[in-house]
C-alpha cells in the first residue's frame, strides 16, 4: 500500500483530521481516484492545489507517474509562479 503523508492542515477537513494514511494504488491517477472515494473531495483538491513528492522527488504534475507498493507520497502545496 502507498503511504500518503499530508504536510498541510488544509487537508484535515477532508480527511477527518488524518495526516497519514495508506491507499492501494499503482499510479498517481489511481491514487487520486482512491483518495477521492475514501475522502470525497480530496482527489479534486489534490489535483488543483497540491504537488506530490513521490519517494522524495517533487512533481508538480504527476498524474501519469507509477507508484511502487511501498512508495511514500507527500502532499505539499503547489509552488505558485508568475
Amino acid at each position: 500500500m502507498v503511504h500518503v503523508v499530508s504536510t498541510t492542515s488544509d487537508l484535515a477537513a477532508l480527511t477527518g483530521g488524518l495526516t497519514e494514511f495508506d491507499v492501494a494504488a499503482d499510479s498517481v491517477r489511481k491514487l487520486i481516484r482512491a483518495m477521492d472515494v475514501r475522502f470525497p473531495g480530496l482527489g479534486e483538491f489534490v489535483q488543483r492545489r497540491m504537488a506530490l513528492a513521490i519517494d522524495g522527488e517533487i512533481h508538480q504534475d504527476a498524474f501519469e507517474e507509477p507508484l511502487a507498493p511501498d512508495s511514500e507520497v507527500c502532499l505539499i502545496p503547489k509552488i505558485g509562479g508568475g
Side-chain angles (χ1 to χ4, degrees):
M1 298 261 271
V2 175
H3 188 69
V4 180
V5 178
S6 171
T7 62
T8 178
S9 61
D10 290 350
L11 300 178
L14 295 170
T15 64
L18 291 176
T19 58
E20 296 187 28
F21 51 90
D22 294 326
V23 177
D26 62 4
S27 69
V28 170
R29 177 186 306 268
K30 290 178 183 176
L31 174 72
I32 290 172
R33 191 176 309 137
M35 287 190 305
D36 206 46
V37 168
R38 184 170 174 188
F39 305 109
L42 180 60
E44 181 182 347
F45 183 88
V46 168
Q47 286 185 79
R48 285 186 295 113
R49 305 220 8 230
M50 307 301 284
L52 306 178
I54 303 169
D55 298 325
E57 185 177 336
I58 297 174
H59 299 266
Q60 291 290 330
D61 296 304
F63 206 61
E64 299 300 325
E65 293 294 321
L67 297 171
D70 62 346
S71 285
E72 179 180 74
V73 176
C74 294
L75 307 176
I76 55 178
K78 281 187 177 179
I79 299 170

